[in-house]
Amino acid sequence: RYANLMYDRRVGRGNTYALQVIPVSTQPNPLDIQRQREARKRALARKRAKEQMHPRTPEPVEGREHIHVQTELYLEEISDRIIEVDTECQTDAFLDRPPTPLFIPAKTGKDVATQIEEGELFDFDVEVKPILEVLIGKTVEQALLEVMEEEELAQLWAHQRAYAELRNAELAEVQRLEEQDRRYREEKERRRLQHIQMLQKQKETTEKIAARAFAQRYLADLIPSVFNNLRESGFFYDPIERDIETEFLPWLMTEVEETLERKVLGRTMLDSLICTVVEKRLDAFSHKPLSDLTEAPAEEPRPTDAAPQVAADQLVAEKEETDQPPAEEQPSRHISFQLEESDQAGTEDLETE
């Protein structure tokens, strides 16, 4: 690849006399340097991301501070104060010795005396004035300085109070503005959500209306056929007709069956009575008639002649039981004709019933 020599890294700049030329074989490859830089950047980025991902304890509340707490399995006592232990030991008592005499150096030189008369060296009234002036001046100056310092402190405190009041007012105004901004944001978000919900409801309403119209068009021909099929299947019925079919007709059939059973029972009993009467009358008329007994000479009744009389008495008793009027004895042909007529009448009555 060709490039401008002025921007080539291999071309030296400035004085080349003191330049230490590195052999080509030992010079690092620019691609390797760039790779190393990229790898270092990636490592720093990973480290920074790991530090950000590491869960941290939230910042303490104002007026408090965090304290390191041990969370290991085995606790270790940590104390800033070094443990001190007092120990005692007994030693031999020292022998009393005399106090050390005062050191007086050896006298050297010659003694010379000077006579000072009264008033020559120090006059208190004269010498105390400058001292008093200095002391009073210093005291007054110190008092003035203290008063000025107190006044300055009072002014500083007043200025501090005014600054604190101003700062509190500004903080209150900032909080009010922040609260107003928060309310505006919440109102904006609420209005946005209401608008989204309104649009969603309008969309749902439109979809429901469209679905209802489609369902009405689709079910316009389906509903009548379904109702017809259900009506034919018996799901829709008339309550009066259903009540008649389920309540009245079973009761009517039960009553008819009971009536028919009673009629059949009466017919059966009538048939049995008729059969019994016919058999008894047949037995009674099968014996010798009573007229022959009256034509015979009056003789004492024999045991053999008592049977027809007994049969006649039984016949009369049966007639009385069946509520028939007593009648004279008739021939067997006429009695059989009456029985046939009564049987026919009974059968006709049963058929009509």
Side-chain angles (χ1 to χ4, degrees):
R1 297 174 63 185
Y2 297 94
N4 191 355
L5 293 175
M6 296 301 295
Y7 297 96
D8 194 353
R9 296 179 180 178
R10 294 170 293 180
V11 178
R13 301 290 190 272
N15 188 6
T16 59
Y17 291 105
L19 182 64
Q20 296 180 359
V21 180
I22 302 174
V24 179
S25 59
T26 60
Q27 288 181 355
N29 192 359
L31 295 177
D32 295 338
I33 295 173
Q34 188 175 1
R35 290 196 192 95
Q36 291 177 2
R37 289 178 180 176
E38 291 178 356
R40 192 180 296 106
K41 288 180 180 179
R42 285 196 297 270
L44 290 174
R46 283 197 299 270
K47 184 177 180 181
R48 195 177 297 109
K50 187 181 294 184
E51 290 179 356
Q52 292 179 358
M53 289 175 62
H54 183 68
R56 294 181 178 179
T57 306
E59 296 297 330
V61 188
E62 184 178 358
R64 298 184 179 181
E65 61 180 0
H66 288 318
I67 298 176
H68 294 284
V69 180
Q70 293 185 4
T71 57
E72 289 81 5
L73 184 59
Y74 299 99
L75 298 179
E76 179 183 358
E77 184 179 1
I78 298 176
S79 60
D80 297 336
R81 181 176 175 276
I82 300 174
I83 299 173
E84 297 177 356
V85 180
D86 296 336
T87 58
E88 296 179 356
C89 61
Q90 183 66 32
T91 57
D92 296 336
F94 291 99
L95 298 176
D96 296 336
R97 70 183 185 86
T100 304
L102 182 64
F103 175 72
I104 299 175
K107 190 174 181 180
T108 59
K110 296 180 180 180
D111 294 333
V112 177
T114 302
Q115 182 65 34
I116 298 174
E117 298 294 338
E118 184 178 357
E120 291 181 357
L121 183 62
F122 180 75
D123 189 359
F124 179 78
D125 295 333
V126 177
E127 298 293 336
V128 81
K129 287 182 180 180
I131 298 174
L132 289 175
E133 290 177 357
V134 171
L135 291 175
I136 293 171
K138 289 292 182 180
T139 304
V140 172
E141 184 180 0
Q142 186 68 25
L144 291 175
L145 288 176
E146 290 179 358
V147 171
M148 291 174 65
E149 185 178 359
E150 290 178 357
E151 292 292 334
E152 186 177 0
L153 289 175
Q155 292 179 0
L156 288 175
W157 290 340
H159 183 70
Q160 187 176 2
R161 284 195 297 271
Y163 175 75
E165 292 178 358
L166 181 62
R167 181 171 174 273
N168 293 331
E170 291 178 355
L171 288 176
E173 184 67 18
V174 169
Q175 290 178 359
R176 188 184 65 81
L177 293 176
E178 289 179 354
E179 186 68 19
Q180 184 179 3
D181 189 15
R182 185 184 63 80
R183 288 198 301 270
Y184 286 161
R185 289 199 306 271
E186 291 179 356
E187 183 68 20
K188 182 179 178 181
E189 185 68 19
R190 187 163 58 252
R191 294 292 179 86
R192 186 178 67 82
L193 293 176
Q194 289 179 357
H195 185 66
I196 292 173
Q197 291 177 359
M198 183 182 68
L199 293 178
Q200 187 176 1
K201 288 182 179 179
Q202 289 181 357
K203 183 178 178 182
E204 292 178 357
T205 306
T206 306
E207 292 178 355
K208 288 181 180 179
I209 293 172
R212 182 178 180 183
F214 176 76
Q216 288 179 353
R217 287 198 304 271
Y218 180 74
L219 298 175
D221 299 331
L222 183 62
I223 291 176
S225 61
V226 170
F227 274 97
N228 291 331
N229 293 332
L230 292 174
R231 190 177 292 106
E232 291 175 359
S233 300
F235 288 96
F236 300 104
Y237 56 85
D238 188 3
I240 299 176
E241 183 180 356
R242 185 66 174 271
D243 190 14
I244 291 172
E245 291 178 356
T246 57
E247 300 293 337
F248 179 70
L249 289 179
W251 174 80
L252 183 60
M253 292 298 294
T254 305
E255 293 294 329
V256 169
E257 287 178 358
E258 291 179 357
T259 305
L260 291 176
E261 287 178 358
R262 288 196 298 269
K263 289 182 179 181
V264 169
L265 180 59
R267 189 181 302 170
T268 305
M269 293 180 67
L270 182 60
D271 291 342
S272 63
L273 289 173
I274 291 170
C275 184
T276 304
V277 171
V278 169
E279 288 178 356
K280 289 182 179 181
R281 287 186 179 183
L282 182 61
D283 292 339
F285 286 104
S286 63
H287 293 83
K288 189 177 180 179
L290 297 174
S291 60
D292 295 341
L293 296 174
T294 56
E295 292 178 357
E299 295 179 356
E300 293 181 0
R302 298 178 182 179
T304 56
D305 296 337
Q309 187 68 27
V310 173
D313 295 337
Q314 291 178 356
L315 182 60
V316 172
E318 290 176 356
K319 287 182 179 180
E320 291 177 355
E321 289 177 358
T322 54
D323 296 337
Q324 292 182 359
E328 295 180 356
E329 294 179 356
Q330 297 179 357
S332 62
R333 188 178 298 174
H334 181 67
I335 293 170
S336 63
F337 180 74
Q338 288 180 354
L339 291 174
E340 288 177 358
E341 287 180 353
S342 64
D343 292 336
Q344 289 178 1
T347 54
E348 287 177 359
D349 294 335
L350 292 174
E351 288 178 358
T352 56
E353 289 175 357

